[in-house]
Amino acid sequence: MNCLFQKSELIPVVVQDADTRQVLMVGFTNLEAVKRTLKTKTAWFWSRSRQQLWNKGETSGNFLHVRQIWTDCDTDTLLYLCKPDGPTCHTGRVSCFFNEIELEG
């Protein structure tokens, strides 16, 4: 993990379903959240709005069980492959990505 967080204290995390590869959400993480993710094997993030660590599922029960962690070529973005306990989005949808923007032309 020495190569992570060299450019920023927060880096993005793309979360995909480990089986379907559907993108479930994007969050931000810091070093402490990554350490907790590695220890608990559930996804931890840094909430930019609340300015605190949060374990996805701690209030809803819809935990993201991390199966694999990948980094991109620049080591400034992470990819978590997860098994979700239920819907990932706070709206109750499987994924946070359900609003399509139509392309022109």
Side-chain angles (χ1 to χ4, degrees):
M1 283 195 307
N2 293 341
C3 56
L4 298 173
F5 307 104
Q6 291 184 0
K7 297 175 189 169
S8 176
E9 290 182 19
L10 291 178
I11 61 172
V13 179
V14 177
V15 179
Q16 285 184 295
D17 185 294
D19 294 328
T20 68
R21 296 300 199 252
Q22 180 180 17
V23 175
L24 301 175
M25 66 170 282
V26 173
F28 286 87
T29 193
N30 62 13
L31 183 58
E32 182 59 29
V34 172
K35 287 179 180 179
R36 289 184 187 200
T37 297
L38 292 169
K39 183 177 180 178
T40 66
K41 296 184 177 62
T42 60
W44 284 80
F45 301 95
W46 177 259
S47 171
R48 295 180 300 164
S49 60
R50 294 178 298 194
Q51 293 292 297
Q52 66 184 36
L53 291 169
W54 63 282
N55 185 214
K56 175 68 179 116
E58 64 190 342
T59 55
S60 68
N62 296 327
F63 290 95
L64 293 169
H65 301 277
V66 180
R67 298 294 185 245
Q68 291 182 317
I69 299 176
W70 296 83
T71 184
D72 72 333
C73 57
D74 295 323
T75 61
D76 61 4
T77 302
L78 294 176
L79 171 65
Y80 289 178
L81 297 179
C82 298
K83 295 268 192 168
D85 277 339
T88 298
C89 186
H90 73 280
T91 66
R93 298 204 184 219
V94 171
S95 169
C96 293
F97 292 92
F98 56 86
N99 291 312
E100 182 178 4
I101 296 174
E102 296 291 330
L103 299 175
E104 293 182 23

